Every structure is written in structure tokens, then in C-alpha cells.
Amino acid sequence: MTLASLRAELAAVLRLALPLAAAQLALMGMGVVETWLAGRHGTATLAAIAIGAAVWSLAVLALLGVLMAVPAFVGEAHGAGRRERVPALLGQALWLALLLALPLALLLGAAGAWLAWIGIAPPLAAAAGEFLRALAPGVPGAALFMVLRGTAEGLSLTVPTLLAAAGGAALLLPLGALALFGLGDWPGLGLPGLGLAHALVLWLQALSLLWLLRRRAAWRAGLAGFRPSLPAAAELAALLRVGLPMAVTVLLEGALFVASGSAGRPSRHRGRGRPPGGPDRRLAGLHAPARAGDGGHRARGPGPRRAGRAAAPPQRGRGAPDRPARPDADRGAAAARAGAAWPPPSRAIRRCRRRQWRCCGWPPPSSSPTASRPRPTACCGASRTPAGRCGLCALAYWGVGMPVGALLAFPVGKGILGLWIGLAAGLTRRGAAPPRPPDARPAPPRA
């Protein structure tokens, strides 16, 4: 590849990617606008918006994950020259968006009841429920915007999405302020008014994106001959087959942050330091008193290996050659001695490990590995199947991240710091996923 071709490819990628990134920032800016308005209204409003925005983000992630299949199908048909399939794909994507949006709107309308059921404080759950009930009519508008956005991305049209997203974020500020604070003698509608303003902006975004796309020649050429059609089970199943694994993965990632931000029960030991009984008994060896002059380290004897070394005289001379030191072996023995003091992993941890290795298509590690077993290669750890990737995300985020965060936040009493430590642990575990097994085919003989 020459330098000129590299520049041309980079320019083409940036021409598509920069408007998409800016549009995503504009969509995220709508949440920033709501938070700023709620903060100026009062602390109770800000707390309700925090819970409501967390629940709304889950609904958006569910829609976005499934409808991420739309640009893939449209881009494949457009790139292969089968433009007659694009109108049919758009019609089926609209049916899929409608089938997803209606249950989500009903679920958001009843958010006040189930938020109190999962442990959110009743006044806070009621206020967040009012906001989400007013926002629920905007779910179909958000779904329509995502379908139009995915179809436009498949046709390499990214600037209209940026214009519609930026216009919606700019419009939410005056509409939200008017509905929340009122104007003149009109006191405003409070939280329900802010939710209604957000729902109205979602519909205006979708309609403005449709208007902008219809003005583009590429959209008119790609959607020529579009006619409304009945839902086709085969087409919907194909979209779901691609979109559902992505939706589950996105939900597992986003729900971890939402669950941490929505934790509303205080710790039992808040304000009392560590629970009664002092430090954890399993870590008692780390708190043993040290002797004076040992530099603060734990006091311990020389041990049999050190005692043997001290008793044996140095064998140097012509008959006994000088042996070089073995720092790796000494380090390994020290690690083995230190690890022997810790209890073995529990049955649940071993079961999780076995399941995670099965998701990757790799046999579980045994206690006595043989030399004939091939070693895993250093790669990103991606699984072979969508179900395997979903299993890896579920194990990392909900098998490691949430238990660690809940343990540190509530029993230990670290509060929000413990929740964020749990988030970091889940993300670290996801990045350190087991690698994909190497290819089992034998390597070709060397020449």
C-alpha cells in the first residue's frame, strides 16, 4: 500500500467516522442537559433524574443493541449491488422497532412500582416513575430514529444523523427549562414536564432525520420503490439472530454501571468503620506483629531451606564449580510458600472458571497439565460464538464486578468507592478473558 492510497483510505474512514462520533456525543449531551436542569431545580429532582436516566439508558441500550443489525444488513445489500433489498430491510426494521418499543414503553410507564420493589427509596422511586411515565411516549420515536440512522449508515450517509442529533440536544435545553421551571405566572410541570419535553424532542429528532434524508439523492436512490409491507418472520428472525447477541452484550456492559449508580440501600456498617471483630481472620497473617528492626515486615524464621543453606559451608574450589544463582526458582518457591497460606478457590469459583473456558471452546485447566497440551496463544480472548462472548461478558461483569462491588460497598462499608472498585474489577476481568485456543491443525514442516 502506497502513501497516497493510505491517505485516501484514511480520509474516507474519517469522512464517515467523525460525523458518527459527533452525533453520539450530541445524543449523550441530552443527558447532560437534563442533569444540569435538574441540578438547578433541586437535589430531590437531581436524585430522581439520576435514577430515571439510568433506567432510560437501559431501554436505549436494548433498542440500540438489537437495531445495530440494521446497518450491517443494509450495508451488505448496498455494497453487493442488491439495492432492491434495502427498501424491504427498512420495512422489516420498522416492524422490529415497533415490536420492541411498545413493551419498553409499557415497562417505563410502570417504572414507579418496580423501582420501589427492587429497593429504591419510595419517594425517590415515585419521582423517577413520574419522569419515566412522561418519557415513555418517546420510546417509539427513539426506535424510529435508530432505524433511520442505521439505514443511513448502511448507505454511507452520516452527516444527517449528526445534524438531527445536534438539533435535538440544542432544542432540549429551552423546552426542558420551560417545562421544568415554567414561565411567568405558569409554575411549570416539574419532573413530568421534563420527561414530556424529552419525549417531544425524540419524535422531532426522528422526523427531522427523515426530512434530511429525503433531501439526499443517495437516500432516494437506495429507497426507491419503498412500500409498506407486512412483517415477515424470516426477515425478523434474521435481524434478531444478529442483533440479540449484540443487545445482550451491550446490556451486560451498561447494566453494570446502571446497577452501581442505582444502589439505594446504605451499608450496615456505614459510619462505624470495619464490622465488629476486627480485621478479617483470613488476612490475620498480614497483621501479625513484627519484630523490632525488621523493617516493618512480618517476623518469620529462616525456614528449612534457608536453614540448610546457612548450615552448609560454601563449596568452592577446583572440584566443585561455582553454580550461578537461580532467582526464578527462588521466586517460584517463595510464591508457592506464600500461596499455601491462602485457602483453595471455592466450588463456585471453580465452576465459573470451567464455564468460562467452555465458552471459549477450550478445555478447563487441570491441576496437572501435561506437556502434550498446546499452550494458548496470546490474543484478544474473543470467543468463537456469540453465545460464548455473551457468557464471557456475563461472567466478567455479573460474576466478578457486581459481587465485588456489593461486597465492598455494603458489608465492608466503602460505599460508592466500593462500587467503583467493583466496576474496575469487572472491566479488568473482561479485558483479561481467556484467549481463543490455537488452531489444532499441525504446522507445516520447515523447509
Side-chain angles (χ1 to χ4, degrees), residues 74 78 81-87 151 155 157 213-226:
V74 173
H78 179 67
R82 297 178 295 164
R83 296 189 176 182
E84 69 278 357
R85 271 193 51 81
V86 176
T151 308
L155 297 175
L157 297 174
L213 289 174
R214 287 175 62 87
R215 297 173 61 87
R216 296 298 182 102
W219 177 269
R220 294 195 300 268
L223 274 299
F226 173 75

Side-chain angles (χ1 to χ4, degrees), residues 67-78 89 150 153-154 239 242 246:
L67 297 177
M68 281 172 65
V70 176
F73 278 83
V74 173
E76 180 186 7
H78 179 67
L89 286 172
E153 290 174 4
L239 289 171
V242 176
M246 292 190 287

Side-chain angles (χ1 to χ4, degrees), residues 7-446:
R7 288 178 178 175
E9 292 291 337
L10 184 59
V13 170
L14 291 178
R15 195 178 303 114
L16 294 175
L18 288 180
L20 290 178
Q24 192 64 32
L25 288 176
L27 293 174
M28 295 171 60
M30 297 178 67
V32 176
V33 169
E34 283 185 339
T35 304
W36 181 72
L37 292 174
R40 293 178 61 86
H41 191 266
T43 54
T45 307
L46 181 60
I49 284 293
I51 300 297
V55 176
W56 169 249
S57 66
L58 284 181
V60 171
L61 289 176
L63 285 173
L64 179 63
V66 177
L67 297 177
M68 281 172 65
V70 176
F73 278 83
V74 173
E76 180 186 7
H78 179 67
R82 297 178 295 164
R83 296 189 176 182
E84 69 278 357
R85 271 193 51 81
V86 176
L89 286 172
L90 176 59
Q92 298 305 313
L94 290 174
W95 279 111
L96 180 60
L98 181 63
L99 294 176
L100 293 173
L102 292 181
L104 285 175
L106 295 176
L107 189 62
L108 291 181
W114 57 264
L115 281 176
W117 180 73
I118 63 175
I120 305 297
L124 186 58
E130 292 179 357
F131 169 74
L132 292 172
R133 192 180 306 113
L135 182 55
V139 177
L144 175 61
F145 178 84
M146 292 178 189
V147 170
L148 295 175
R149 172 185 177 179
T151 308
E153 290 174 4
L155 297 175
S156 302
L157 297 174
T158 57
V159 176
T161 304
L162 169 60
L163 297 177
L171 186 60
L172 181 60
L173 180 59
L175 283 182
L178 178 63
L180 183 63
F181 298 103
L183 182 65
D185 296 335
W186 183 53
L189 300 175
L191 272 176
L194 185 57
L196 286 174
H198 194 166
L200 178 61
V201 167
L202 291 175
W203 277 105
L204 291 177
Q205 271 185 334
L207 296 177
S208 63
L209 178 58
L210 179 60
W211 181 77
L212 290 171
L213 289 174
R214 287 175 62 87
R215 297 173 61 87
R216 296 298 182 102
W219 177 269
R220 294 195 300 268
L223 274 299
F226 173 75
R227 295 291 184 274
S229 59
L230 295 176
E235 296 287 346
L236 294 178
L239 289 171
L240 288 174
R241 196 177 301 116
V242 176
L244 274 181
M246 292 190 287
V248 172
T249 303
V250 171
L251 274 176
L252 288 172
E253 295 176 356
L256 185 67
F257 295 89
V258 171
S260 299
S262 304
R265 289 176 295 185
S267 172
R268 294 177 299 173
H269 310 290
R270 183 173 295 175
R272 287 184 273 171
R274 190 175 290 275
D280 194 343
R281 294 180 181 178
R282 289 175 295 180
L283 307 180
L286 300 180
H287 301 281
R291 296 180 303 184
D294 65 349
H297 296 285
R298 180 185 173 189
R300 63 179 181 180
R305 186 169 180 176
R306 294 191 177 186
R309 286 184 181 179
Q315 299 180 2
R316 299 178 183 272
R318 298 177 61 183
D322 192 9
R323 284 187 174 184
R326 299 177 61 191
D328 294 339
D330 294 343
R331 262 198 308 270
R337 287 196 303 271
W342 293 91
S346 64
R347 182 181 302 175
I349 294 178
R350 292 197 300 269
R351 188 183 303 115
C352 287
R353 288 176 180 174
R354 287 196 297 269
R355 288 177 180 174
Q356 186 169 6
W357 282 92
R358 288 196 201 104
C359 287
C360 291
W362 183 253
S366 62
S367 56
S368 58
T370 59
S372 60
R373 174 173 293 179
R375 297 176 61 86
T377 56
C379 64
C380 63
S383 177
R384 284 174 171 162
T385 62
R389 289 191 289 271
C390 294
L392 292 180
C393 290
L395 179 63
Y397 298 138
W398 294 94
V400 176
M402 280 305 298
V404 170
L407 177 66
L408 294 178
F410 300 131
V412 179
K414 294 295 183 181
I416 191 64
L417 177 61
L419 291 175
W420 281 106
I421 293 175
L423 294 179
L427 293 173
T428 304
R429 186 65 189 90
R430 179 65 183 93
R436 179 183 294 186
D439 196 351
R441 292 175 297 180
R446 295 184 179 179

